[in-house]
Each structure stands twice: as structure tokens, then as C-alpha cells.
Amino acid sequence: MSFDPEVPDPPRLDAAEDPGDYDAVEEPETRTGEEGRREALAEFLEEGAWEDGFLEWADHTYMDADQFEAARALGLLDALDFYWNESAGDVGYLAPELAADLPEPWDERLDRADRADIEEAIDELGRTVSEVLENRYIDRSSEAFGYTWE
């Protein structure tokens, strides 16, 4: 690991989006009308899924301290979003992208390679937290709707 970041607060999950907009979500042929259990996902993030996923990601990321500082300052960590797709039984994530025109001082501090590295790292963070939610926090042993939430 090239840096040792402090675990930031988990992102707040905003209003539900179209499941097709999220990465790692298999869009089913028919929708069940579920709301994505955003409150339960937010609770899981607060209860440790965010910290578990973040620390796992930090152990393997190629992001450096300056890039991480930029990602935090530009709100990319706060803008990560997660969605439970009950129909397909997976957790998707939506990783934000950097704006084309960045505010000072980031407009001059981040070159094209830095921007690509940051976006790739934030995408990987979303994927890692998504997998932690799916594999460690969602109880798949219940028969009610196929799953139960702890």
C-alpha cells in the first residue's frame, strides 16, 4: 500500500436510481418494484461494511496520498452510491466521475493520468464495498424473498 488513509465516513445513499445505471448489477428481465433497500444498505455501511471494504481496498489500491486527497476534496467518496437489486440478488454501485472542469487547485494539480487513476480507484472502491456487502452483510440463508437482512 502506498499510503495509509484514515477511513472516511461512509457515503450517504441518495434517492434510488434506475438499477441499470449501477455497475455490478445484473438487470433482470422483469422488475419487482423494490426500492433497493437503501436504508438497510446504509445501516450496513454504518455498521462496518464501509470500513471493511475501504480497508480491503486501501491494502490493494495504487492510488497515492495526493490522489486520495483530491478524491476526498472533490466529493468522490461521498458520491459513491450502492443499490440492492433484490430480483437478481446483487449489490450494485455507482462510482462518480471527475468533472471535465475542476475547481482550483485541482484543475492544475491533476493531469490526465491522475484523473484516470482516481476514477479507476474510486470504481474499484465501489466494487470492493459492493462485494463486502454481498458476501459479508447480507444473510442469504432465509427463504423469505430469498434473503433476509440482519
Side-chain angles (χ1 to χ4, degrees), residues 2 18 23 34 42 48 53-54 58 78 80 83 88-89 100 120 126 129 141 145-146:
S2 59
D18 178 359
D23 292 319
E34 75 277 355
F54 185 87
D78 294 332
L80 269 169
Y83 176 85
E120 183 179 331
V129 173
S141 63
F145 297 106

Side-chain angles (χ1 to χ4, degrees), residues 33-68:
E34 75 277 355
E35 86 300 335
R37 300 211 186 209
R38 301 179 74 70
E39 289 179 16
L41 287 176
E43 286 177 26
F44 289 155
L45 292 173
E46 287 287 337
E47 292 172 358
W50 174 254
E51 183 174 359
D52 292 348
F54 185 87
L55 292 173
E56 185 176 316
W57 167 81
D59 282 342
H60 299 97
T61 188
Y62 293 105
M63 182 181 265
D64 64 31
D66 290 337
Q67 292 170 336
F68 183 72

